[in-house]
Amino acid sequence: MQISDLPYPDPGVPDARSGPRFLLWLGRGQLGGQLKSLAWGMLHFGGVAGLPYAVGLGVDAVVDREPNRLLLVGGLLVLIGVAISVGDAMLHRTAVTNWITAAARVQQLLARKTAELGSALTRRVAAGEVVAVSTGDVEKIGWFVEAVSRFLAAVFAVVLVCVGLVFYAPELGVVVAVGVPLIALASLPLLPRATRRADVQREKAGRATELASDTVAGLRVLRGIGGEELFLGRYREASQEVRRAAVRSARMWALISAIQVVLPGLLLITVVWYGASLALDGRIAVGELVAAFSAVATLLYPLRHFEEIAMAYSFSRPSAKRAARVLSLTRTDPAERPAQAGTVGEPAAGGDLYDPRTGLLAPAGRFTAVVCGDPDLAGRLAERLGGHAMEDRDGGEGGEGGDRGGEDGDGSGNGSDRDAEDGPSVLLGGVALDDLELDTARRLVLVQDKDPVLLSGTLRELLDVPASGAVESGAALAAAQCADVLDALLQSAPDGVEDPMDARITERGRSLSGGQRQRLALARSLVTDPEVLVLDEPTSAVDSHTEARIADGIAALRGGRTTVVLASSPLLLDRADRVVLIDGGTVAAVGTHRELLHREPLYRAVVTRETDEEQRLAGLGLTELEEALTEIEESA
């Protein structure tokens, strides 16, 4: 795989059971690149290992006054120099390729998983952690994958030097062959502690990133309540904790580095002292002493890769664990539907949408409004209707999400953590959404979140979404009452832009008001024209007059199509063909808006915001009402 070939046509199915397994899977996935890097590394390190012996032969040739042999040694040194140079250049090239391709594969896998789960991903994993995994973690994972081949080549060089010395100068070779393994293994007792400190640093850095992400996302609110300094103080404290953890981790790695310098230095002194005594006794030649000295000095270079592989693994293991946790999330628990998921055919057009858990039925082709006294329950119900069975069980903050289809966001670290109380999947035309192919479920059911996201780009690009083609963008914008939004975009556009469709929307639509963003998101959903459209509080940020016109626009544009709106606004509810009241997680009443106002006190309390005292007074007769009012006046 070359860098120019990225992205991968198919990044594959990762082994996300654990961090080490994920790293092993990545290594197997680019075995060809690893072998290339290893081959060039062996050429490079082989040249490095052979250099001391060539120098020793050259010294012996000078001492023996043999110019022909010295000439041959000179040619050998040239070949070794070429091998070192070419091997180093190609090793660097192939190693960096391995690094980038591994990081790119992980990023593709994360992007695919994010697209599969939608905003449900951030209900299991905090937004800051997702950002950390997709940026810093992929770099550390790529580092380890890249370092493996260079480490194996360094091991080859070390073995070559030791074996060569045993045959070239046996008495010194035995000393080096015994000393080098001890040097390589001397740092092992320190690695667990260094790894733990690195894990603590990584954990604190993740918390700081999450805090920074939350602070930036809520900066406008923080300014409004004067809480900027409070959160900035929290971030300063978190960053100082990261700094202290980084210093503690660096101290341990500095100790390991010192060991990798001091012990080879002691070995070098031993070899020089012992070799000099052997040379004085005439037991070895001067060239052999020079070769042994050069070999031990040369070993400092490959031995550094032992430290690097330990650091790379220590830093990449928690990163791989975090990435594996994200990649292990699945739409459904495979244990629940091992044979059916993804194998059921598409339901026939015109089927009802039914939720077995709550008993909610949205008849095909009708405008159904749903009223929930609990806003959190309304949000979870909207997710279930779109095929999302995930509950916010880990305390992770739900990130802002855009329009998304019927994919299921359930899952956890092992992909089988589905909450039993979620119950069976929502049915469309009698077919469970969880049993449909992901693309099919997305096409059939679209859920617009309460806080949808607008991506930066032109308005034309915003509305260029997969759609049936039955709804034009102009009709959708008109139904969502976006005339003033178009004027605002045109006014803020650069000179020369005459069509508001070519006006640019800033990142997340920050230049627009909340109501304007909400209406553009509604227009985007209407353009898609899915068989089932689920809207969660689509008009919560607009005024009542605009809300009434939007309600008429939705009812007219979605005529004959199944539409479910979760809202408590009387203006929306009065336009619905059917209103369903949800209480305690199940259907409590069904009827029209006016019918439920007259016969259901709970519905009236939710829609009209009646207090308990007002409900009590509404249920009294005329005489009882006069007595109650008299009591209130006397108590006042």
Side-chain angles (χ1 to χ4, degrees), residues 211-514:
L211 180 59
S213 176
D214 293 341
T215 302
V216 171
L219 191 57
R220 181 177 298 180
V221 177
L222 292 176
R223 286 174 175 170
I225 63 176
E228 292 176 84
E229 288 301 322
L230 174 62
F231 276 80
L232 286 175
R234 291 181 180 177
Y235 181 73
R236 290 191 190 99
E237 182 179 350
S239 64
Q240 288 301 312
E241 290 182 1
V242 174
R243 182 189 63 81
R244 288 190 289 269
V247 170
R248 293 187 72 247
S249 178
R251 287 173 179 168
M252 185 56 62
W253 289 112
L255 178 59
I256 294 175
S257 298
I259 292 175
Q260 293 296 316
V261 173
V262 172
L263 292 185
L266 294 176
L267 178 61
L268 184 61
I269 293 172
T270 302
V271 168
V272 171
W273 173 79
Y274 182 54
S277 64
L278 292 177
L280 290 175
D281 293 341
R283 296 164 62 183
I284 63 172
V286 176
E288 293 176 342
L289 174 60
V290 173
F293 170 81
S294 301
V296 175
T298 302
L299 284 176
L300 292 175
Y301 173 51
L303 283 175
R304 284 205 298 268
H305 291 77
F306 286 68
E307 175 192 354
E308 182 191 11
I309 195 66
M311 291 184 65
Y313 181 74
S314 298
F315 281 95
S316 66
R317 186 181 57 81
S319 295
K321 180 180 179 181
R322 289 154 61 99
R325 180 184 175 223
V326 175
L327 295 175
S328 65
L329 300 177
T330 57
R331 292 181 62 212
T332 58
D333 180 1
E336 292 189 1
R337 297 178 179 87
Q340 296 181 357
T343 62
V344 176
E346 182 176 336
D352 298 338
L353 184 69
Y354 176 66
D355 179 18
R357 179 179 173 186
T358 61
L360 170 64
L361 174 67
R366 305 284 296 279
F367 183 177
T368 301
V370 181
V371 176
C372 298
D374 182 1
D376 292 334
L377 175 60
R380 294 195 296 270
L381 178 59
E383 295 211 351
R384 276 189 57 78
L385 295 178
H388 298 268
M390 179 178 290
E391 299 283 351
D392 192 0
R393 293 183 290 272
D394 277 357
E397 296 184 14
E400 294 180 353
D403 302 340
R404 70 177 181 275
E407 74 270 30
D408 188 309
D410 184 55
S412 68
N414 56 12
S416 58
D417 187 14
R418 184 176 181 133
D419 199 312
E421 68 177 12
D422 287 338
S425 170
V426 171
L427 306 178
L428 178 61
V431 178
L433 289 181
D434 289 346
D435 293 341
L436 295 174
E437 292 287 351
L438 181 58
D439 292 342
T440 302
R442 282 176 167 168
R443 178 170 51 82
L444 294 176
V445 182
L446 178 71
V447 178
Q448 178 177 301
D449 287 339
K450 187 179 300 183
D451 299 309
V453 169
L454 302 181
L455 302 178
S456 61
T458 64
L459 181 57
R460 193 184 310 278
E461 293 170 342
L462 176 71
L463 300 180
D464 185 16
V465 293
S468 66
V471 178
E472 298 292 336
S473 58
L477 290 168
Q481 300 299 308
C482 293
D484 64 315
V485 184
L486 300 181
D487 293 338
L489 289 174
L490 199 56
Q491 290 176 5
S492 61
D495 296 338
V497 177
E498 299 180 355
D499 188 348
M501 298 296 291
D502 295 326
R504 293 195 64 82
I505 300 172
T506 57
E507 181 186 2
R508 302 176 71 89
R510 296 189 186 279
S511 61
L512 303 173
S513 68

Side-chain angles (χ1 to χ4, degrees), residues 402-629:
D403 302 340
R404 70 177 181 275
E407 74 270 30
D408 188 309
D410 184 55
S412 68
N414 56 12
S416 58
D417 187 14
R418 184 176 181 133
D419 199 312
E421 68 177 12
D422 287 338
S425 170
V426 171
L427 306 178
L428 178 61
V431 178
L433 289 181
D434 289 346
D435 293 341
L436 295 174
E437 292 287 351
L438 181 58
D439 292 342
T440 302
R442 282 176 167 168
R443 178 170 51 82
L444 294 176
V445 182
L446 178 71
V447 178
Q448 178 177 301
D449 287 339
K450 187 179 300 183
D451 299 309
V453 169
L454 302 181
L455 302 178
S456 61
T458 64
L459 181 57
R460 193 184 310 278
E461 293 170 342
L462 176 71
L463 300 180
D464 185 16
V465 293
S468 66
V471 178
E472 298 292 336
S473 58
L477 290 168
Q481 300 299 308
C482 293
D484 64 315
V485 184
L486 300 181
D487 293 338
L489 289 174
L490 199 56
Q491 290 176 5
S492 61
D495 296 338
V497 177
E498 299 180 355
D499 188 348
M501 298 296 291
D502 295 326
R504 293 195 64 82
I505 300 172
T506 57
E507 181 186 2
R508 302 176 71 89
R510 296 189 186 279
S511 61
L512 303 173
S513 68
Q516 290 173 330
R517 291 196 299 270
Q518 197 172 56
R519 282 177 282 162
L520 285 180
L522 176 59
R524 178 175 58 187
S525 299
L526 293 174
V527 165
T528 304
D529 189 39
E531 182 172 329
V532 178
L533 176 61
V534 180
L535 305 172
D536 186 7
E537 294 286 359
T539 59
S540 59
V542 301
D543 60 81
S544 58
H545 298 288
T546 305
E547 186 177 33
R549 293 195 294 270
I550 290 175
D552 291 333
I554 293 174
L557 196 63
R558 292 287 299 174
R561 307 287 273 172
T562 306
T563 306
V564 180
V565 177
L566 289 93
S568 59
S569 168
L571 295 172
L572 276 173
L573 298 175
D574 194 40
R575 267 70 170 182
D577 301 323
R578 191 168 182 266
V579 180
V580 179
L581 173 65
I582 302 291
D583 181 37
T586 57
V587 173
V590 180
T592 65
H593 170 61
R594 299 175 187 271
E595 291 172 351
L596 295 179
L597 274 179
H598 288 294
R599 75 169 192 256
E600 292 293 335
L602 178 60
Y603 178 84
R604 186 167 57 250
V606 174
V607 173
T608 64
R609 310 296 197 273
E610 283 184 350
T611 63
D612 293 340
E613 184 65 19
E614 289 172 337
Q615 292 184 53
R616 188 181 69 82
L617 293 177
L620 297 178
L622 180 60
T623 303
E624 295 171 323
L625 182 60
E626 290 177 350
E627 293 177 355
L629 291 175

Side-chain angles (χ1 to χ4, degrees), residues 15 17 21 23-32 34 105:
D15 185 349
R17 289 176 290 177
R21 289 178 181 271
L23 291 174
L24 181 60
W25 176 83
L26 278 176
R28 289 200 306 264
Q30 51 185 93
L31 189 59
Q34 293 286 352
R105 186 192 294 271

